[in-house]
């Protein structure tokens, strides 16, 4: 029985190994050989929320977007395959979303931050000018019980990203919450986890400003409330600039 124990690969180890995505990565590489994508575009990378994003449909004015989502993946999987799913494309921007599955698999907010920092570090060591837009962990109907840890991870990554102008944080949490303080059902597929058309319409609207090229300027305006408290006014303006 001892020999049988050592000769058996734990099921959970197989499920967590990045090698479970090898066939998918090979399929990406085969597609690239048949029709090489242009370098310097925008790379959408991550799990099923990325994989299901029809970029041509939701971003019809952008011709340089590439989807390399592989459903069910975690940040560690993108780290493992970074040399094959990021470096060859030399993207000017990466739109990244995978951390939903990390929290669902039992990872802590601290672990998610550490993995994202590692991913960003690997990218910038090879591609120092590439911008990375981190799409916040979404609040979903199915995983609402995990929202506390998810928001803890979001807060940590938002703060860390603010230190580097190449990093940005896209808050999709608040816009997905209804008046009752819970996720809006109208944004989700029947499984209560993945996005439907309306969900992608919302996400696309929030992500679109991050797709601009270096020679494009994004302008926005808002009306600021004015009070006798200069510090309060400054804090409000600062908040608007960050958003």
């Amino acid at each position: 029985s001892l020999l049988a124990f050592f000769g058996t690969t734990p099921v959970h180890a197989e499920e967590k190994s990045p090698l479970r995505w090898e066939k998918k990565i090979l399929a990406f590489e085969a597609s690239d050989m048949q029709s090489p994508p242009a370098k310097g575009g925008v790379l959408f990378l991550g799990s099923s929320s990325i994989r299901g994003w029809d970029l041509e449909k939701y971003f019809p004015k952008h011709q340089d977007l590439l989807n390399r989502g592989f459903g069910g993946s975690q940040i560690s999987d993108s780290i493992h395959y970074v040399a094959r799913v990021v470096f060859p494309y030399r993207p000017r921007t990466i739109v990244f979303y995978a951390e939903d599955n990390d929290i669902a698999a039992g990872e802590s907010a601290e672990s998610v931050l550490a993995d994202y920092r590692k991913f960003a570090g690997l990218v910038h060591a090879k591609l120092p000018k590439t911008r990375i837009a981190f799409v916040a962990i979404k609040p979903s109907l199915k995983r609402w019980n995990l929202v506390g840890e998810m928001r803890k991870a979001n807060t940590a990554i938002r703060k860390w990203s603010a230190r580097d102008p190449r990093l940005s944080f896209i808050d999709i949490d608040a816009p997905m919450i209804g008046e009752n303080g819970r996720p809006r059902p109208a944004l989700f597929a029947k499984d209560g986890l993945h996005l439907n058309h309306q969900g992608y319409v919302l996400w696309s609207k929030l992500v679109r400003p991050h797709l601009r090229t270096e020679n494009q300027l994004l302008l926005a305006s808002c009306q600021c409330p004015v009070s006798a408290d200069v510090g309060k006014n400054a804090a409000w303006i600062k908040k608007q600039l960050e958003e």
Side-chain angles (χ1 to χ4, degrees):
S1 59
L2 182 61
L3 289 175
F5 173 79
F6 281 106
T8 303
T9 301
V11 174
H12 294 297
E14 287 184 355
E15 292 177 349
K16 192 171 178 59
S17 171
L19 296 179
R20 70 194 188 281
W21 303 113
E22 183 64 19
K23 289 183 178 180
K24 186 63 177 178
I25 303 304
L26 286 172
F28 287 153
E29 292 172 335
S31 175
D32 293 344
M33 290 184 65
Q34 185 175 5
S35 180
K39 293 180 172 57
V42 178
L43 174 66
F44 281 65
L45 179 66
S47 57
S48 56
S49 292
I50 294 292
R51 183 193 61 191
W53 211 332
D54 186 338
L55 302 183
E56 292 185 4
K57 176 180 180 179
Y58 293 102
F59 303 101
K61 296 182 179 180
H62 294 270
Q63 307 301 318
D64 58 352
L65 310 184
L66 181 64
N67 191 319
R68 284 297 177 261
F70 41 114
S73 63
Q74 299 180 26
I75 300 177
S76 58
D77 297 315
S78 292
I79 290 173
H80 181 82
Y81 288 108
V82 67
R84 296 167 66 183
V85 296
V86 176
F87 296 166
Y89 311 121
R90 305 190 68 82
R92 71 172 184 273
T93 300
I94 299 172
V95 176
F96 188 74
Y97 185 89
E99 57 287 349
D100 195 330
N101 293 321
D102 292 63
I103 298 295
E107 298 287 345
S108 66
E110 292 78 11
S111 178
V112 170
L113 172 62
D115 281 349
Y116 180 60
R117 291 181 63 169
K118 183 175 181 179
F119 172 76
L122 289 171
V123 170
H124 287 149
K126 181 75 173 180
L127 306 169
K129 294 183 179 180
T130 295
R131 299 193 299 267
I132 306 176
F134 181 94
V135 180
I137 308 175
K138 70 177 182 292
S140 66
L141 300 169
K142 185 174 182 179
R143 294 176 175 172
W144 183 245
N145 61 308
L146 302 174
V147 71
E149 197 67 19
M150 290 177 170
R151 286 175 172 169
K152 185 178 178 181
N154 282 340
T155 298
I157 291 173
R158 180 200 287 269
K159 291 181 178 179
W160 180 73
S161 297
R163 303 175 184 178
D164 190 331
R166 298 171 298 180
L167 303 176
S168 58
F169 180 91
I170 305 176
D171 181 15
I172 50 83
D173 184 341
M176 294 185 72
I177 297 298
E179 295 181 357
N180 64 351
R182 302 290 292 269
R184 294 157 54 192
L187 301 176
F188 294 91
K190 292 181 179 180
D191 62 6
L193 176 62
H194 297 97
L195 301 176
N196 61 14
H197 171 66
Q198 290 302 322
Y200 279 117
V201 167
L202 174 62
W203 276 32
S204 299
K205 177 182 177 181
L206 297 171
V207 167
R208 193 167 288 112
H210 297 265
L211 307 183
R212 64 187 185 279
T213 57
E214 292 291 346
N215 61 352
Q216 289 179 315
L217 179 64
L218 179 66
L219 298 179
S221 65
C222 65
Q223 186 172 356
C224 303
V226 178
S227 70
D229 188 335
V230 176
K232 184 177 181 181
N233 295 341
W236 196 95
I237 294 172
K238 181 175 181 293
K239 180 176 182 295
Q240 297 309 305
L241 288 173
E242 290 174 346
E243 291 185 359

mmCIF file of all heavy atoms in Angstrom, residues 213-228:
data_model
loop_
_atom_site.group_PDB
_atom_site.id
_atom_site.type_symbol
_atom_site.label_atom_id
_atom_site.label_comp_id
_atom_site.label_asym_id
_atom_site.label_seq_id
_atom_site.Cartn_x
_atom_site.Cartn_y
_atom_site.Cartn_z
ATOM 1 N N THR A 213 -3.950 54.695 -27.560
ATOM 2 C CA THR A 213 -2.526 54.627 -27.854
ATOM 3 C C THR A 213 -1.814 55.810 -27.220
ATOM 4 O O THR A 213 -2.442 56.731 -26.692
ATOM 5 C CB THR A 213 -2.291 54.641 -29.380
ATOM 6 O OG1 THR A 213 -2.890 55.823 -29.935
ATOM 7 C CG2 THR A 213 -2.924 53.424 -30.024
ATOM 8 N N GLU A 214 -0.490 55.812 -27.314
ATOM 9 C CA GLU A 214 0.307 56.848 -26.656
ATOM 10 C C GLU A 214 -0.014 58.252 -27.161
ATOM 11 O O GLU A 214 0.095 59.217 -26.434
ATOM 12 C CB GLU A 214 1.806 56.561 -26.871
ATOM 13 C CG GLU A 214 2.301 55.317 -26.164
ATOM 14 C CD GLU A 214 2.315 55.471 -24.646
ATOM 15 O OE1 GLU A 214 2.201 56.608 -24.172
ATOM 16 O OE2 GLU A 214 2.434 54.459 -23.955
ATOM 17 N N ASN A 215 -0.385 58.376 -28.450
ATOM 18 C CA ASN A 215 -0.612 59.708 -29.005
ATOM 19 C C ASN A 215 -2.066 60.149 -28.892
ATOM 20 O O ASN A 215 -2.477 61.106 -29.525
ATOM 21 C CB ASN A 215 -0.170 59.760 -30.470
ATOM 22 C CG ASN A 215 -0.946 58.792 -31.351
ATOM 23 O OD1 ASN A 215 -1.708 57.986 -30.835
ATOM 24 N ND2 ASN A 215 -0.744 58.878 -32.657
ATOM 25 N N GLN A 216 -2.845 59.439 -28.089
ATOM 26 C CA GLN A 216 -4.230 59.836 -27.865
ATOM 27 C C GLN A 216 -4.359 60.467 -26.485
ATOM 28 O O GLN A 216 -3.701 60.036 -25.532
ATOM 29 C CB GLN A 216 -5.166 58.632 -27.955
ATOM 30 C CG GLN A 216 -5.320 58.097 -29.373
ATOM 31 C CD GLN A 216 -6.236 56.883 -29.408
ATOM 32 O OE1 GLN A 216 -6.121 55.995 -28.586
ATOM 33 N NE2 GLN A 216 -7.144 56.866 -30.357
ATOM 34 N N LEU A 217 -5.194 61.466 -26.395
ATOM 35 C CA LEU A 217 -5.411 62.166 -25.128
ATOM 36 C C LEU A 217 -6.854 61.964 -24.688
ATOM 37 O O LEU A 217 -7.790 62.198 -25.463
ATOM 38 C CB LEU A 217 -5.122 63.664 -25.296
ATOM 39 C CG LEU A 217 -5.337 64.551 -24.061
ATOM 40 C CD1 LEU A 217 -4.365 64.146 -22.957
ATOM 41 C CD2 LEU A 217 -5.169 66.018 -24.414
ATOM 42 N N LEU A 218 -7.039 61.517 -23.460
ATOM 43 C CA LEU A 218 -8.372 61.301 -22.915
ATOM 44 C C LEU A 218 -8.781 62.521 -22.098
ATOM 45 O O LEU A 218 -8.069 62.936 -21.187
ATOM 46 C CB LEU A 218 -8.384 60.063 -22.019
ATOM 47 C CG LEU A 218 -9.718 59.722 -21.349
ATOM 48 C CD1 LEU A 218 -10.738 59.329 -22.419
ATOM 49 C CD2 LEU A 218 -9.532 58.586 -20.364
ATOM 50 N N LEU A 219 -9.908 63.114 -22.459
ATOM 51 C CA LEU A 219 -10.403 64.292 -21.758
ATOM 52 C C LEU A 219 -11.696 63.954 -21.016
ATOM 53 O O LEU A 219 -12.507 63.186 -21.490
ATOM 54 C CB LEU A 219 -10.677 65.436 -22.742
ATOM 55 C CG LEU A 219 -9.492 65.975 -23.545
ATOM 56 C CD1 LEU A 219 -9.967 67.075 -24.481
ATOM 57 C CD2 LEU A 219 -8.416 66.515 -22.613
ATOM 58 N N ALA A 220 -11.840 64.541 -19.854
ATOM 59 C CA ALA A 220 -13.068 64.375 -19.080
ATOM 60 C C ALA A 220 -13.320 65.651 -18.306
ATOM 61 O O ALA A 220 -12.397 66.417 -18.024
ATOM 62 C CB ALA A 220 -12.943 63.192 -18.129
ATOM 63 N N SER A 221 -14.575 65.883 -17.982
ATOM 64 C CA SER A 221 -14.903 67.076 -17.199
ATOM 65 C C SER A 221 -15.958 66.725 -16.166
ATOM 66 O O SER A 221 -16.718 65.780 -16.325
ATOM 67 C CB SER A 221 -15.422 68.194 -18.120
ATOM 68 O OG SER A 221 -16.644 67.803 -18.716
ATOM 69 N N CYS A 222 -15.959 67.481 -15.082
ATOM 70 C CA CYS A 222 -16.990 67.298 -14.060
ATOM 71 C C CYS A 222 -17.136 68.606 -13.286
ATOM 72 O O CYS A 222 -16.239 69.451 -13.303
ATOM 73 C CB CYS A 222 -16.621 66.141 -13.121
ATOM 74 S SG CYS A 222 -15.143 66.421 -12.141
ATOM 75 N N GLN A 223 -18.250 68.762 -12.633
ATOM 76 C CA GLN A 223 -18.501 69.962 -11.852
ATOM 77 C C GLN A 223 -18.141 69.696 -10.401
ATOM 78 O O GLN A 223 -18.635 68.733 -9.801
ATOM 79 C CB GLN A 223 -19.969 70.375 -11.971
ATOM 80 C CG GLN A 223 -20.276 71.708 -11.292
ATOM 81 C CD GLN A 223 -21.685 72.180 -11.602
ATOM 82 O OE1 GLN A 223 -22.383 71.535 -12.377
ATOM 83 N NE2 GLN A 223 -22.093 73.288 -11.021
ATOM 84 N N CYS A 224 -17.265 70.522 -9.852
ATOM 85 C CA CYS A 224 -16.785 70.309 -8.488
ATOM 86 C C CYS A 224 -17.585 71.145 -7.484
ATOM 87 O O CYS A 224 -17.813 72.343 -7.707
ATOM 88 C CB CYS A 224 -15.310 70.704 -8.371
ATOM 89 S SG CYS A 224 -14.224 69.838 -9.507
ATOM 90 N N PRO A 225 -17.984 70.543 -6.385
ATOM 91 C CA PRO A 225 -18.635 71.328 -5.326
ATOM 92 C C PRO A 225 -17.584 72.197 -4.635
ATOM 93 O O PRO A 225 -16.427 71.800 -4.507
ATOM 94 C CB PRO A 225 -19.179 70.250 -4.386
ATOM 95 C CG PRO A 225 -18.263 69.090 -4.589
ATOM 96 C CD PRO A 225 -17.893 69.112 -6.042
ATOM 97 N N VAL A 226 -17.957 73.381 -4.251
ATOM 98 C CA VAL A 226 -17.011 74.301 -3.608
ATOM 99 C C VAL A 226 -17.518 74.655 -2.222
ATOM 100 O O VAL A 226 -18.678 75.016 -2.037
ATOM 101 C CB VAL A 226 -16.843 75.595 -4.440
ATOM 102 C CG1 VAL A 226 -15.889 76.551 -3.736
ATOM 103 C CG2 VAL A 226 -16.344 75.269 -5.832
ATOM 104 N N SER A 227 -16.616 74.507 -1.243
ATOM 105 C CA SER A 227 -16.966 74.877 0.133
ATOM 106 C C SER A 227 -15.865 75.767 0.695
ATOM 107 O O SER A 227 -14.856 76.039 0.030
ATOM 108 C CB SER A 227 -17.116 73.615 0.988
ATOM 109 O OG SER A 227 -15.851 73.005 1.202
ATOM 110 N N ALA A 228 -16.018 76.191 1.924
ATOM 111 C CA ALA A 228 -15.011 77.036 2.555
ATOM 112 C C ALA A 228 -13.803 76.215 3.020
ATOM 113 O O ALA A 228 -12.776 76.770 3.392
ATOM 114 C CB ALA A 228 -15.628 77.777 3.748
#
